[in-house]
Short mmCIF file of all heavy atoms in Angstrom, two decimals:
data_model
loop_
_atom_site.label_atom_id
_atom_site.label_comp_id
_atom_site.label_asym_id
_atom_site.label_seq_id
_atom_site.Cartn_x
_atom_site.Cartn_y
_atom_site.Cartn_z
N GLY A 132 155.10 13.19 5.74
CA GLY A 132 155.12 13.27 4.29
C GLY A 132 153.91 12.57 3.61
O GLY A 132 153.28 11.72 4.23
N GLN A 133 153.80 12.76 2.32
CA GLN A 133 152.66 12.20 1.60
C GLN A 133 153.09 10.88 0.95
O GLN A 133 152.18 10.18 0.53
CB GLN A 133 152.34 13.21 0.57
CG GLN A 133 151.97 14.58 1.08
CD GLN A 133 150.45 14.66 1.30
OE1 GLN A 133 149.72 13.84 0.79
NE2 GLN A 133 150.06 15.57 2.14
N ALA A 134 154.27 10.56 0.86
CA ALA A 134 154.78 9.30 0.13
C ALA A 134 154.50 8.04 0.89
O ALA A 134 154.58 7.98 2.19
CB ALA A 134 156.26 9.38 -0.20
N ASP A 135 154.06 7.00 0.20
CA ASP A 135 153.86 5.70 0.80
C ASP A 135 155.14 4.87 0.78
O ASP A 135 155.41 3.96 1.49
CB ASP A 135 152.81 4.87 0.18
CG ASP A 135 151.48 5.52 0.26
OD1 ASP A 135 151.19 6.17 1.34
OD2 ASP A 135 150.63 5.44 -0.71
N LEU A 136 156.05 5.24 -0.17
CA LEU A 136 157.31 4.56 -0.37
C LEU A 136 158.42 5.55 -0.34
O LEU A 136 158.40 6.62 -0.93
CB LEU A 136 157.27 3.94 -1.85
CG LEU A 136 158.41 3.12 -2.28
CD1 LEU A 136 158.61 1.79 -1.48
CD2 LEU A 136 158.29 2.79 -3.71
N VAL A 137 159.49 5.19 0.39
CA VAL A 137 160.72 6.04 0.59
C VAL A 137 161.95 5.26 0.20
O VAL A 137 162.18 4.17 0.63
CB VAL A 137 160.80 6.52 2.08
CG1 VAL A 137 162.09 7.29 2.26
CG2 VAL A 137 159.50 7.30 2.49
N LEU A 138 162.80 5.93 -0.64
CA LEU A 138 164.01 5.35 -1.00
C LEU A 138 165.09 5.99 -0.27
O LEU A 138 165.29 7.26 -0.29
CB LEU A 138 164.37 5.47 -2.50
CG LEU A 138 165.63 4.87 -2.99
CD1 LEU A 138 165.74 3.45 -2.88
CD2 LEU A 138 165.91 5.37 -4.47
N LEU A 139 165.75 5.20 0.66
CA LEU A 139 166.83 5.72 1.49
C LEU A 139 168.19 5.43 0.79
O LEU A 139 168.63 4.27 0.69
CB LEU A 139 166.69 4.95 2.79
CG LEU A 139 167.59 5.46 3.97
CD1 LEU A 139 167.27 6.95 4.30
CD2 LEU A 139 167.48 4.60 5.13
N ALA A 140 168.82 6.51 0.31
CA ALA A 140 170.06 6.49 -0.44
C ALA A 140 170.91 7.47 0.09
O ALA A 140 171.10 8.62 -0.50
CB ALA A 140 169.80 6.60 -1.92
N VAL A 141 171.51 7.32 1.30
CA VAL A 141 172.40 8.29 1.91
C VAL A 141 173.76 7.67 2.27
O VAL A 141 173.75 6.48 2.41
CB VAL A 141 171.62 8.90 3.15
CG1 VAL A 141 170.42 9.61 2.76
CG2 VAL A 141 171.37 7.80 4.16
N PRO A 142 174.71 8.48 2.52
CA PRO A 142 175.95 7.94 3.09
C PRO A 142 175.62 7.32 4.38
O PRO A 142 174.78 7.76 5.17
CB PRO A 142 176.89 9.12 3.21
CG PRO A 142 176.35 10.17 2.18
CD PRO A 142 174.88 9.93 2.27
N TYR A 143 176.49 6.26 4.74
CA TYR A 143 176.18 5.62 6.10
C TYR A 143 176.66 6.60 7.27
O TYR A 143 175.97 6.51 8.25
CB TYR A 143 177.04 4.26 6.17
CG TYR A 143 176.70 3.64 7.43
CD1 TYR A 143 175.38 3.03 7.62
CD2 TYR A 143 177.58 3.50 8.44
CE1 TYR A 143 175.10 2.40 8.86
CE2 TYR A 143 177.25 2.88 9.62
CZ TYR A 143 175.95 2.33 9.80
OH TYR A 143 175.66 1.67 11.00
N ASP A 144 177.64 7.45 7.07
CA ASP A 144 177.97 8.36 8.12
C ASP A 144 176.79 9.23 8.40
O ASP A 144 176.34 9.97 7.56
CB ASP A 144 179.24 9.19 7.66
CG ASP A 144 179.75 10.05 8.73
OD1 ASP A 144 179.61 9.65 9.92
OD2 ASP A 144 180.21 11.23 8.43
N GLY A 145 176.29 9.23 9.68
CA GLY A 145 175.13 9.92 10.06
C GLY A 145 173.83 9.25 9.77
O GLY A 145 172.68 9.87 10.06
N HIS A 146 173.78 8.07 9.21
CA HIS A 146 172.58 7.30 8.84
C HIS A 146 171.59 7.17 9.96
O HIS A 146 170.45 7.49 9.87
CB HIS A 146 173.05 5.88 8.36
CG HIS A 146 171.93 4.92 8.14
ND1 HIS A 146 171.56 4.11 9.12
CD2 HIS A 146 171.22 4.66 7.05
CE1 HIS A 146 170.49 3.35 8.69
NE2 HIS A 146 170.35 3.65 7.37
N ASP A 147 172.09 6.75 11.13
CA ASP A 147 171.21 6.39 12.22
C ASP A 147 170.50 7.67 12.74
O ASP A 147 169.30 7.74 13.08
CB ASP A 147 171.98 5.70 13.45
CG ASP A 147 172.30 4.30 13.09
OD1 ASP A 147 171.89 3.79 11.96
OD2 ASP A 147 172.95 3.62 13.93
N ASP A 148 171.23 8.90 12.85
CA ASP A 148 170.62 10.03 13.29
C ASP A 148 169.60 10.50 12.32
O ASP A 148 168.52 10.93 12.76
CB ASP A 148 171.70 11.15 13.50
CG ASP A 148 172.57 10.89 14.68
OD1 ASP A 148 172.15 10.16 15.61
OD2 ASP A 148 173.76 11.43 14.74
N LEU A 149 169.89 10.43 11.09
CA LEU A 149 168.88 10.92 10.03
C LEU A 149 167.71 10.00 10.04
O LEU A 149 166.57 10.46 10.08
CB LEU A 149 169.56 10.77 8.66
CG LEU A 149 168.59 11.13 7.47
CD1 LEU A 149 168.08 12.53 7.51
CD2 LEU A 149 169.22 10.80 6.09
N VAL A 150 167.83 8.58 9.94
CA VAL A 150 166.72 7.75 9.92
C VAL A 150 165.83 7.97 11.17
O VAL A 150 164.54 7.98 11.09
CB VAL A 150 167.22 6.28 9.87
CG1 VAL A 150 166.06 5.32 10.00
CG2 VAL A 150 167.81 6.07 8.47
N ALA A 151 166.45 8.12 12.36
CA ALA A 151 165.60 8.28 13.58
C ALA A 151 164.74 9.59 13.51
O ALA A 151 163.71 9.63 14.08
CB ALA A 151 166.56 8.31 14.76
N SER A 152 165.25 10.60 12.74
CA SER A 152 164.56 11.84 12.69
C SER A 152 163.37 11.95 11.60
O SER A 152 162.64 12.91 11.58
CB SER A 152 165.55 12.95 12.35
OG SER A 152 165.95 12.92 11.05
N LEU A 153 163.35 10.93 10.83
CA LEU A 153 162.32 10.98 9.63
C LEU A 153 161.04 10.35 10.08
O LEU A 153 160.84 9.48 10.84
CB LEU A 153 162.92 10.23 8.48
CG LEU A 153 164.17 10.75 7.91
CD1 LEU A 153 164.69 9.75 6.76
CD2 LEU A 153 163.92 12.14 7.22
N PRO A 154 159.89 10.99 9.52
CA PRO A 154 158.58 10.51 9.82
C PRO A 154 158.23 9.30 8.89
O PRO A 154 157.54 9.34 7.81
CB PRO A 154 157.66 11.62 9.45
CG PRO A 154 158.42 12.38 8.43
CD PRO A 154 159.88 12.20 8.71
N LEU A 155 158.67 8.14 9.28
CA LEU A 155 158.55 6.93 8.37
C LEU A 155 157.52 5.84 8.83
O LEU A 155 157.41 4.90 8.11
CB LEU A 155 159.91 6.23 8.27
CG LEU A 155 161.07 7.14 7.68
CD1 LEU A 155 162.39 6.31 7.68
CD2 LEU A 155 160.69 7.54 6.23
N ALA A 156 156.84 6.14 9.89
CA ALA A 156 155.78 5.10 10.38
C ALA A 156 154.80 4.84 9.32
O ALA A 156 154.30 5.80 8.64
CB ALA A 156 155.21 5.64 11.69
N GLY A 157 154.46 3.63 9.11
CA GLY A 157 153.48 3.21 8.10
C GLY A 157 153.96 3.23 6.68
O GLY A 157 153.28 2.93 5.81
N LYS A 158 155.24 3.54 6.47
CA LYS A 158 155.73 3.64 5.04
C LYS A 158 156.60 2.40 4.78
O LYS A 158 157.18 1.76 5.60
CB LYS A 158 156.61 4.91 4.96
CG LYS A 158 155.88 6.21 5.13
CD LYS A 158 156.57 7.34 4.84
CE LYS A 158 155.88 8.64 5.24
NZ LYS A 158 154.45 8.70 4.64
N VAL A 159 156.79 2.13 3.54
CA VAL A 159 157.81 1.09 3.00
C VAL A 159 159.03 1.89 2.74
O VAL A 159 158.96 2.83 1.90
CB VAL A 159 157.17 0.39 1.76
CG1 VAL A 159 158.29 -0.58 1.21
CG2 VAL A 159 155.95 -0.41 2.08
N VAL A 160 160.11 1.39 3.27
CA VAL A 160 161.42 2.14 3.14
C VAL A 160 162.31 1.16 2.38
O VAL A 160 162.58 0.00 2.92
CB VAL A 160 162.00 2.52 4.42
CG1 VAL A 160 163.34 3.10 4.27
CG2 VAL A 160 161.01 3.49 5.20
N ILE A 161 162.84 1.49 1.27
CA ILE A 161 163.74 0.73 0.52
C ILE A 161 165.18 1.36 0.86
O ILE A 161 165.43 2.52 0.45
CB ILE A 161 163.53 0.69 -1.00
CG1 ILE A 161 162.12 0.12 -1.27
CG2 ILE A 161 164.62 -0.12 -1.71
CD1 ILE A 161 161.74 0.36 -2.74
N SER A 162 165.98 0.53 1.45
CA SER A 162 167.30 1.06 1.88
C SER A 162 168.39 0.47 1.00
O SER A 162 168.58 -0.75 0.77
CB SER A 162 167.70 0.68 3.27
OG SER A 162 169.02 0.96 3.57
N CYS A 163 169.13 1.30 0.24
CA CYS A 163 170.23 0.89 -0.54
C CYS A 163 171.56 1.40 0.10
O CYS A 163 172.58 1.53 -0.60
CB CYS A 163 170.11 1.28 -2.03
SG CYS A 163 169.98 3.04 -2.37
N VAL A 164 171.51 1.58 1.36
CA VAL A 164 172.67 2.16 2.10
C VAL A 164 173.60 1.07 2.38
O VAL A 164 173.30 -0.05 2.81
CB VAL A 164 172.20 2.84 3.40
CG1 VAL A 164 173.43 3.33 4.12
CG2 VAL A 164 171.29 3.98 3.12
N ASN A 165 174.88 1.30 2.03
CA ASN A 165 175.98 0.34 2.34
C ASN A 165 176.86 0.95 3.39
O ASN A 165 177.28 2.18 3.33
CB ASN A 165 176.80 0.02 1.13
CG ASN A 165 176.12 -0.82 0.13
OD1 ASN A 165 175.59 -1.92 0.44
ND2 ASN A 165 176.09 -0.30 -1.07
N PRO A 166 177.13 0.25 4.52
CA PRO A 166 178.06 0.84 5.59
C PRO A 166 179.47 0.91 5.07
O PRO A 166 180.20 -0.01 5.20
CB PRO A 166 177.86 -0.10 6.69
CG PRO A 166 176.84 -1.12 6.36
CD PRO A 166 176.61 -1.03 4.90
N LEU A 167 179.80 1.98 4.36
CA LEU A 167 181.15 2.13 3.94
C LEU A 167 181.93 3.20 4.71
O LEU A 167 181.35 4.20 5.19
CB LEU A 167 181.15 2.61 2.46
CG LEU A 167 180.52 1.66 1.40
CD1 LEU A 167 180.50 2.17 0.06
CD2 LEU A 167 181.31 0.29 1.41
N ALA A 168 183.23 2.98 4.81
CA ALA A 168 184.15 3.95 5.35
C ALA A 168 185.18 4.40 4.26
O ALA A 168 185.41 3.69 3.36
CB ALA A 168 184.86 3.38 6.58
N PHE A 169 185.61 5.61 4.51
CA PHE A 169 186.57 6.10 3.47
C PHE A 169 187.77 6.57 4.22
O PHE A 169 187.66 7.40 5.14
CB PHE A 169 185.98 7.31 2.70
CG PHE A 169 184.69 6.81 1.93
CD1 PHE A 169 183.50 6.91 2.48
CD2 PHE A 169 184.86 6.36 0.59
CE1 PHE A 169 182.38 6.51 1.82
CE2 PHE A 169 183.76 5.96 -0.09
CZ PHE A 169 182.51 6.09 0.50
N ASP A 170 188.99 6.11 3.88
CA ASP A 170 190.21 6.60 4.57
C ASP A 170 191.33 6.38 3.59
O ASP A 170 191.11 6.26 2.35
CB ASP A 170 190.48 5.91 5.92
CG ASP A 170 190.54 4.41 5.82
OD1 ASP A 170 190.88 3.82 4.74
OD2 ASP A 170 190.33 3.69 6.81
N THR A 171 192.53 6.33 4.06
CA THR A 171 193.74 6.25 3.25
C THR A 171 193.71 4.92 2.34
O THR A 171 194.34 4.81 1.38
CB THR A 171 195.04 6.27 4.07
OG1 THR A 171 195.06 5.27 5.02
CG2 THR A 171 195.21 7.62 4.65
N ARG A 172 192.85 3.92 2.77
CA ARG A 172 192.87 2.68 2.02
C ARG A 172 191.73 2.79 0.90
O ARG A 172 191.60 1.94 0.07
CB ARG A 172 192.38 1.49 2.92
CG ARG A 172 193.31 1.14 3.98
CD ARG A 172 192.79 -0.03 4.81
NE ARG A 172 191.78 0.49 5.67
CZ ARG A 172 190.88 -0.27 6.31
NH1 ARG A 172 190.92 -1.53 6.18
NH2 ARG A 172 189.98 0.27 7.11
N GLY A 173 191.06 3.92 0.89
CA GLY A 173 189.99 4.22 0.01
C GLY A 173 188.67 3.69 0.60
O GLY A 173 188.62 3.66 1.87
N ALA A 174 187.65 3.48 -0.19
CA ALA A 174 186.40 2.94 0.32
C ALA A 174 186.50 1.48 0.71
O ALA A 174 187.07 0.66 0.05
CB ALA A 174 185.41 3.10 -0.75
N HIS A 175 185.92 1.17 1.84
CA HIS A 175 185.83 -0.17 2.34
C HIS A 175 184.65 -0.41 3.20
O HIS A 175 184.14 0.60 3.83
CB HIS A 175 187.17 -0.63 3.08
CG HIS A 175 187.52 0.38 4.21
ND1 HIS A 175 187.06 0.09 5.51
CD2 HIS A 175 188.21 1.46 4.23
CE1 HIS A 175 187.56 1.05 6.37
NE2 HIS A 175 188.26 1.98 5.54
N GLY A 176 184.23 -1.60 3.39
CA GLY A 176 182.95 -1.92 4.16
C GLY A 176 183.31 -1.78 5.62
O GLY A 176 184.40 -2.04 6.13
N GLN A 177 182.30 -1.29 6.39
CA GLN A 177 182.42 -1.22 7.88
C GLN A 177 181.62 -2.42 8.47
O GLN A 177 180.67 -2.82 7.91
CB GLN A 177 181.69 0.04 8.40
CG GLN A 177 182.42 1.35 8.08
CD GLN A 177 181.71 2.45 8.84
OE1 GLN A 177 181.19 2.35 9.88
NE2 GLN A 177 181.72 3.63 8.13
N VAL A 178 182.15 -2.91 9.55
CA VAL A 178 181.49 -3.97 10.21
C VAL A 178 180.53 -3.24 11.30
O VAL A 178 181.02 -2.45 12.07
CB VAL A 178 182.43 -4.88 11.02
CG1 VAL A 178 181.68 -5.91 11.92
CG2 VAL A 178 183.31 -5.57 10.00
N ILE A 179 179.23 -3.46 11.25
CA ILE A 179 178.30 -2.90 12.18
C ILE A 179 177.62 -3.99 12.93
O ILE A 179 177.51 -5.07 12.40
CB ILE A 179 177.35 -1.99 11.38
CG1 ILE A 179 176.45 -2.65 10.41
CG2 ILE A 179 178.01 -0.76 10.77
CD1 ILE A 179 175.37 -1.84 9.87
N ASP A 180 177.16 -3.66 14.07
CA ASP A 180 176.47 -4.71 14.95
C ASP A 180 177.24 -5.98 15.13
O ASP A 180 176.73 -7.05 15.04
CB ASP A 180 175.08 -4.96 14.38
CG ASP A 180 174.13 -3.77 14.39
OD1 ASP A 180 174.37 -2.88 15.26
OD2 ASP A 180 173.24 -3.68 13.49
N GLY A 181 178.57 -5.81 15.31
CA GLY A 181 179.48 -7.04 15.44
C GLY A 181 179.41 -7.90 14.25
O GLY A 181 179.68 -9.17 14.38
N GLY A 182 179.15 -7.45 13.03
CA GLY A 182 179.09 -8.26 11.86
C GLY A 182 177.75 -9.01 11.65
O GLY A 182 177.59 -9.86 10.77
N GLU A 183 176.86 -8.71 12.48
CA GLU A 183 175.52 -9.38 12.51
C GLU A 183 174.38 -8.58 11.89
O GLU A 183 173.26 -9.00 11.96
CB GLU A 183 175.13 -9.87 13.93
CG GLU A 183 176.13 -10.82 14.53
CD GLU A 183 176.23 -12.19 13.77
OE1 GLU A 183 175.21 -12.68 13.26
OE2 GLU A 183 177.34 -12.75 13.59
N GLY A 184 174.71 -7.39 11.40
CA GLY A 184 173.59 -6.63 10.98
C GLY A 184 173.98 -5.81 9.69
O GLY A 184 174.98 -5.92 9.11
N SER A 185 173.00 -5.04 9.26
CA SER A 185 173.15 -4.21 8.06
C SER A 185 172.51 -2.86 8.31
O SER A 185 171.88 -2.61 9.30
CB SER A 185 172.36 -4.90 6.88
OG SER A 185 171.01 -4.88 7.12
N ALA A 186 172.70 -1.91 7.32
CA ALA A 186 172.09 -0.63 7.41
C ALA A 186 170.61 -0.79 7.38
O ALA A 186 169.88 -0.02 8.22
CB ALA A 186 172.65 0.29 6.36
N ALA A 187 170.02 -1.60 6.61
CA ALA A 187 168.64 -1.88 6.64
C ALA A 187 168.09 -2.37 7.97
O ALA A 187 167.01 -1.87 8.39
CB ALA A 187 168.18 -2.71 5.45
N GLU A 188 168.75 -3.27 8.60
CA GLU A 188 168.36 -3.74 9.84
C GLU A 188 168.41 -2.71 10.89
O GLU A 188 167.57 -2.53 11.79
CB GLU A 188 169.19 -4.93 10.24
CG GLU A 188 168.87 -6.17 9.38
CD GLU A 188 169.80 -7.32 9.64
OE1 GLU A 188 171.03 -7.09 9.51
OE2 GLU A 188 169.35 -8.47 9.83
N SER A 189 169.41 -1.84 10.79
CA SER A 189 169.62 -0.68 11.73
C SER A 189 168.39 0.31 11.57
O SER A 189 167.79 0.74 12.48
CB SER A 189 170.86 0.07 11.55
OG SER A 189 171.03 1.14 12.30
N ALA A 190 168.05 0.50 10.32
CA ALA A 190 166.92 1.40 9.99
C ALA A 190 165.67 0.83 10.63
O ALA A 190 164.80 1.56 11.11
CB ALA A 190 166.78 1.70 8.48
N GLN A 191 165.49 -0.45 10.42
CA GLN A 191 164.22 -1.08 10.99
C GLN A 191 164.10 -0.94 12.45
O GLN A 191 163.14 -0.70 12.96
CB GLN A 191 164.16 -2.65 10.54
CG GLN A 191 162.89 -3.30 10.99
CD GLN A 191 161.67 -2.69 10.25
OE1 GLN A 191 161.50 -3.10 9.06
NE2 GLN A 191 160.87 -1.83 10.84
N ARG A 192 165.28 -1.21 13.12
CA ARG A 192 165.23 -1.00 14.58
C ARG A 192 164.90 0.48 15.03
O ARG A 192 164.21 0.65 16.00
CB ARG A 192 166.65 -1.37 15.25
CG ARG A 192 166.82 -2.84 15.42
CD ARG A 192 168.09 -3.03 16.25
NE ARG A 192 169.30 -2.37 15.76
CZ ARG A 192 170.03 -2.90 14.81
NH1 ARG A 192 169.75 -3.97 14.22
NH2 ARG A 192 171.10 -2.28 14.38
N LEU A 193 165.37 1.42 14.25
CA LEU A 193 165.10 2.79 14.53
C LEU A 193 163.64 3.23 14.22
O LEU A 193 163.18 4.20 14.75
CB LEU A 193 166.13 3.68 13.83
CG LEU A 193 167.52 3.59 14.29
CD1 LEU A 193 168.51 4.21 13.26
CD2 LEU A 193 167.73 4.15 15.68
N GLN A 194 163.14 2.56 13.20
CA GLN A 194 161.75 2.83 12.77
C GLN A 194 160.90 1.58 12.74
O GLN A 194 160.49 1.10 11.71
CB GLN A 194 161.86 3.42 11.39
CG GLN A 194 162.53 4.80 11.23
CD GLN A 194 161.59 5.90 11.65
OE1 GLN A 194 160.41 5.75 11.85
NE2 GLN A 194 162.18 7.07 11.95
N PRO A 195 160.54 1.10 13.90
CA PRO A 195 159.78 -0.21 14.05
C PRO A 195 158.45 -0.13 13.38
O PRO A 195 157.86 -1.24 13.08
CB PRO A 195 159.70 -0.47 15.57
CG PRO A 195 159.86 0.91 16.19
CD PRO A 195 160.72 1.73 15.25
N ASP A 196 157.82 1.05 13.16
CA ASP A 196 156.54 1.08 12.59
C ASP A 196 156.53 1.26 11.00
O ASP A 196 155.54 1.45 10.39
CB ASP A 196 155.68 2.22 13.25
CG ASP A 196 155.46 1.91 14.70
OD1 ASP A 196 155.26 0.77 14.99
OD2 ASP A 196 155.41 2.85 15.49
N ALA A 197 157.80 1.22 10.48
CA ALA A 197 157.97 1.26 9.07
C ALA A 197 158.28 -0.23 8.58
O ALA A 197 158.59 -1.03 9.39
CB ALA A 197 159.10 2.12 8.62
N THR A 198 158.11 -0.49 7.33
CA THR A 198 158.54 -1.73 6.73
C THR A 198 159.77 -1.47 5.92
O THR A 198 159.70 -0.77 4.92
CB THR A 198 157.46 -2.38 5.79
OG1 THR A 198 156.25 -2.55 6.58
CG2 THR A 198 157.90 -3.68 5.26
N VAL A 199 160.97 -1.90 6.42
CA VAL A 199 162.19 -1.58 5.77
C VAL A 199 162.79 -2.86 5.08
O VAL A 199 162.79 -3.92 5.53
CB VAL A 199 163.24 -1.13 6.82
CG1 VAL A 199 164.65 -0.87 6.15
CG2 VAL A 199 162.81 0.06 7.63
N VAL A 200 163.10 -2.58 3.74
CA VAL A 200 163.68 -3.69 2.95
C VAL A 200 165.03 -3.19 2.38
O VAL A 200 165.20 -2.00 2.15
CB VAL A 200 162.78 -4.19 1.81
CG1 VAL A 200 161.56 -4.86 2.36
CG2 VAL A 200 162.44 -3.01 0.90
N GLY A 201 166.04 -4.12 2.29
CA GLY A 201 167.28 -3.73 1.66
C GLY A 201 167.33 -4.19 0.19
O GLY A 201 166.86 -5.24 -0.21
N ALA A 202 167.84 -3.27 -0.74
CA ALA A 202 167.95 -3.57 -2.10
C ALA A 202 169.02 -2.80 -2.68
O ALA A 202 169.46 -1.78 -2.15
CB ALA A 202 166.63 -3.29 -2.69
N PHE A 203 169.39 -3.10 -3.99
CA PHE A 203 170.32 -2.36 -4.79
C PHE A 203 171.69 -2.23 -4.16
O PHE A 203 172.39 -1.17 -4.27
CB PHE A 203 169.83 -0.88 -5.09
CG PHE A 203 168.38 -0.96 -5.58
CD1 PHE A 203 167.34 -0.29 -4.84
CD2 PHE A 203 168.04 -1.52 -6.74
CE1 PHE A 203 166.06 -0.32 -5.39
CE2 PHE A 203 166.77 -1.51 -7.37
CZ PHE A 203 165.75 -0.94 -6.59
N HIS A 204 172.16 -3.27 -3.46
CA HIS A 204 173.45 -3.19 -2.81
C HIS A 204 174.58 -3.67 -3.75
O HIS A 204 175.03 -4.80 -3.68
CB HIS A 204 173.42 -4.12 -1.53
CG HIS A 204 172.57 -3.59 -0.58
ND1 HIS A 204 172.77 -2.48 0.31
CD2 HIS A 204 171.30 -3.97 -0.14
CE1 HIS A 204 171.73 -2.22 1.06
NE2 HIS A 204 170.83 -3.17 0.83
N HIS A 205 175.01 -2.75 -4.62
CA HIS A 205 175.94 -3.02 -5.70
C HIS A 205 177.32 -2.37 -5.23
O HIS A 205 177.39 -1.18 -5.33
CB HIS A 205 175.59 -2.53 -6.94
CG HIS A 205 174.26 -3.13 -7.53
ND1 HIS A 205 174.27 -4.37 -8.20
CD2 HIS A 205 172.98 -2.91 -7.17
CE1 HIS A 205 173.11 -4.75 -8.47
NE2 HIS A 205 172.20 -3.79 -7.90
N VAL A 206 178.24 -3.14 -4.75
CA VAL A 206 179.53 -2.59 -4.38
C VAL A 206 180.57 -3.44 -5.00
O VAL A 206 180.59 -4.65 -4.92
CB VAL A 206 179.78 -2.72 -2.80
CG1 VAL A 206 181.10 -2.22 -2.41
CG2 VAL A 206 178.66 -1.79 -2.06
N SER A 207 181.42 -2.81 -5.82
CA SER A 207 182.45 -3.59 -6.47
C SER A 207 183.74 -3.82 -5.57
O SER A 207 183.88 -3.21 -4.48
CB SER A 207 182.97 -2.79 -7.68
OG SER A 207 183.50 -1.52 -7.28
#
C-alpha cells in the first residue's frame, strides 16, 4: 500500500491472521485493538500471552519490520 501510517482497528478474533497477512513493513501501525471476548457474561477482556502481552505486542511480533504502537484503548 501507499500509506505510511496504518490504524489497526479490528476485532481481536482473527487479529493475528489478519495482521500477519498485511504488507506493513516500514509502516507505523497504531493499534487500538483490545483483546475482548463476548459470551453470556457480555464483553470481557481476554488474557493473552499469559497476561504478559497485548494486541499491539502481538502485532509487533508478527510484523517485526513495522513500528507498532498501542493507543486509544478506551474500555469501560
Side-chain angles (χ1 to χ4, degrees):
Q133 303 268 340
D135 294 324
L136 180 69
V137 175
L138 178 63
L139 188 59
V141 298
Y143 186 70
D144 187 33
H146 171 271
D147 288 356
D148 291 337
L149 174 66
V150 170
S152 74
L153 296 173
L155 299 176
K158 300 186 184 308
V159 174
V160 178
I161 301 172
S162 172
C163 59
V164 177
N165 290 306
L167 296 176
F169 300 89
D170 60 22
T171 57
R172 295 180 288 165
H175 55 91
Q177 290 186 32
V178 175
I179 59 172
D180 295 331
E183 299 295 322
S185 66
E188 289 169 313
S189 177
Q191 184 67 80
R192 276 193 308 280
L193 293 165
Q194 293 283 346
D196 295 325
T198 300
V199 180
V200 296
F203 310 117
H204 296 283
H205 299 270
V206 176
S207 59

